[in-house]
Amino acid sequence: MGVKAIDALREIWNGFDFGGVQQMLMRVIPALLCITLHELSHGAVAYALGDDTAKKAGRLTLNPIKHLDPMGLLMMVIFGFGYAKPVPVNMLKFKNPKRGMAVTALAGPGSNVLIAVVFLFLYGLLTPALYGSAAGKVALEMLGMTASLSMAMAIFNILPIPPLDGSKVVFSLLPEEAYWKLMQYERYGFVVLLVLLYSGVIDGPLMWLLEKGIDLLDPVLRGGFELGKLIF
């Protein structure tokens, strides 16, 4: 079996019957995991930097219901790109509000990249042991889908369009006056984002970025596969 990362994940992605209940559940479960750890990372980093807003709101939890945005989850399940209910952050509690906000914003996509790395490694590691059985193939599909969805979530959220995480990073590079002015209009960016998504304008660039991102992780999959052959 080939172990090139993008080929393996594309095979899983294209092989899904999105109309089937079982296949839909196999997307929902990985999506919930990716969303939960993404938002938990935001809250945990904000708390470490001095902002306890997320903690007081009960968002430093692994309970996916606390982080769930129904529309964002539906978009992840249908389109592969989506979002969660934003963790509340009071940037004025940071010693350096702009830098603290940027670091907090980066924590979400960063956690998704880490999830992709871990699950892609597990996919390669367990392939020699599981690929021969039907149940094993289902387990591998779950691992591969989790890696793919998590990388997709990282790429989507790093786009510099409010209210996505990437906009907070880009805005932090602006002068103070421009920064605070743009932050006031952040909520309007969501409308722009929805238009871009439903028009399909950014579908091609997003999928291209996803493929390139997974390609970069090919050594991780290959390393797991080689180790799996030695163990199993």
Side-chain angles (χ1 to χ4, degrees):
M1 176 186 176
V3 294
K4 194 173 185 298
I6 189 62
D7 292 337
L9 292 186
R10 186 185 287 115
E11 180 181 350
I12 292 173
W13 188 279
N14 293 336
F16 262 70
D17 173 16
F18 296 114
V21 175
Q22 179 182 353
Q23 298 293 352
M24 193 65 71
L25 287 175
M26 288 182 67
R27 285 182 67 101
V28 169
I29 293 172
L32 285 175
L33 174 65
C34 297
I35 284 172
T36 299
L37 294 181
H38 178 101
E39 293 302 323
L40 177 59
S41 297
H42 281 315
V45 169
Y47 184 68
L49 293 176
D51 176 23
D52 61 353
T53 307
K55 180 176 175 62
K56 289 181 177 179
R59 297 295 299 277
L60 298 188
T61 175
L62 288 171
N63 180 359
I65 303 301
K66 293 285 187 178
H67 305 293
L68 184 62
D69 181 292
M71 180 61 71
L73 177 63
L74 183 63
M75 286 171 62
M76 281 196 72
V77 171
I78 295 176
F79 300 114
F81 299 95
Y83 55 91
K85 181 168 67 176
V87 163
V89 175
N90 184 352
M91 62 188 299
L92 297 180
K93 291 188 176 184
F94 298 139
K95 291 182 179 179
N96 185 322
K98 286 172 60 178
R99 183 174 62 189
M101 196 67 199
V103 174
T104 299
L106 280 173
S111 70
N112 288 127
V113 172
L114 181 59
I115 293 169
V117 168
V118 171
F119 276 79
L120 199 56
F121 178 80
L122 290 174
Y123 181 93
L125 179 70
L126 298 176
T127 291
L130 301 179
Y131 193 72
S133 68
K137 288 182 179 179
V138 171
L140 289 174
E141 285 185 354
M142 287 284 285
L143 292 173
M145 185 55 66
T146 302
S148 184
L149 280 176
S150 196
M151 181 59 75
M153 191 172 182
I155 290 170
F156 179 69
N157 278 275
I158 207 64
L159 294 177
I161 304 172
L164 298 178
D165 299 324
S167 67
K168 297 177 176 64
V169 177
V170 173
F171 287 1
S172 70
L173 303 175
L174 300 173
E176 290 289 332
E177 184 178 352
Y179 177 81
W180 292 107
K181 185 174 293 186
L182 280 172
M183 289 296 285
Q184 294 176 13
Y185 295 98
E186 184 182 34
R187 63 185 179 276
Y188 298 115
F190 184 70
V191 177
V192 175
L193 184 62
L194 286 179
V195 171
L196 290 174
L197 283 171
Y198 285 104
S199 67
V201 171
I202 59 175
D203 287 358
L206 283 174
M207 291 306 299
W208 182 83
L209 288 171
L210 175 59
E211 291 191 358
K212 293 301 178 184
I214 295 297
D215 266 341
L216 290 175
L217 299 183
D218 184 66
V220 174
L221 178 63
R222 191 176 297 278
F225 185 73
E226 294 300 326
L227 181 60
K229 288 195 297 184
L230 292 175
I231 295 176
F232 302 108

